[in-house]
Amino acid sequence: MDFLEERLEEIAADNTGKAVSKKVEHFQNQFIIHRDYLDGLKHRIHENMKVLQYEMAGSDGHVNRDAVAIYNQLAEDYFTEDQLFMALRHEFNRFAAEWM
């Protein structure tokens, strides 16, 4: 994401037109949203891993179904975020190719 943000800054510095400014702002906002979501997801994953480790240590390797359900949901959330970010990256690459 850092690389994309650097490219966006280059495009913004080299192109000051209104149409470009709107797209730059769009991508800035999307990058912020995705970064914030990933930070939250990372935190939720770490918390879930702590719960799973604690439960496994105290119950001969067995874990609560709720913890497993949360783990599975986190995996789905990660997969969905990955797909959304890939689509954003492709959209950005098309934009960058036009304005760089």
Side-chain angles (χ1 to χ4, degrees):
M1 194 173 305
D2 292 335
F3 176 77
L4 298 177
E5 289 173 334
E6 289 174 17
R7 292 293 164 258
L8 187 61
E9 288 175 14
E10 290 175 18
I11 292 169
D14 293 343
N15 303 283
T16 58
K18 190 173 182 175
V20 173
S21 295
K22 284 184 180 183
K23 289 298 271 185
V24 166
E25 185 176 349
H26 163 74
F27 286 113
Q28 285 173 333
N29 291 337
Q30 288 299 308
F31 293 159
I32 290 168
I33 289 167
H34 282 275
R35 187 179 299 276
D36 288 347
Y37 184 80
L38 287 171
D39 286 345
L41 185 59
K42 180 179 176 182
H43 175 72
R44 291 175 25 221
I45 289 170
H46 285 295
E47 290 300 312
N48 183 251
M49 294 304 289
K50 287 179 190 177
V51 169
L52 291 172
Q53 288 173 342
Y54 175 77
E55 288 188 12
M56 288 180 72
S59 63
D60 294 330
H62 300 293
V63 294
N64 181 318
R65 287 182 188 200
D66 292 337
V68 173
I70 292 169
Y71 174 85
N72 290 335
Q73 183 61 52
L74 290 169
E76 282 184 41
D77 292 349
Y78 178 84
F79 180 72
T80 300
E81 174 59 21
D82 185 54
Q83 289 180 322
L84 291 171
F85 186 75
M86 292 293 282
L88 177 65
R89 192 181 81 188
H90 290 301
E91 178 188 357
F92 176 76
N93 286 336
R94 287 188 299 272
F95 167 74
E98 182 180 345
W99 291 100
M100 285 191 87

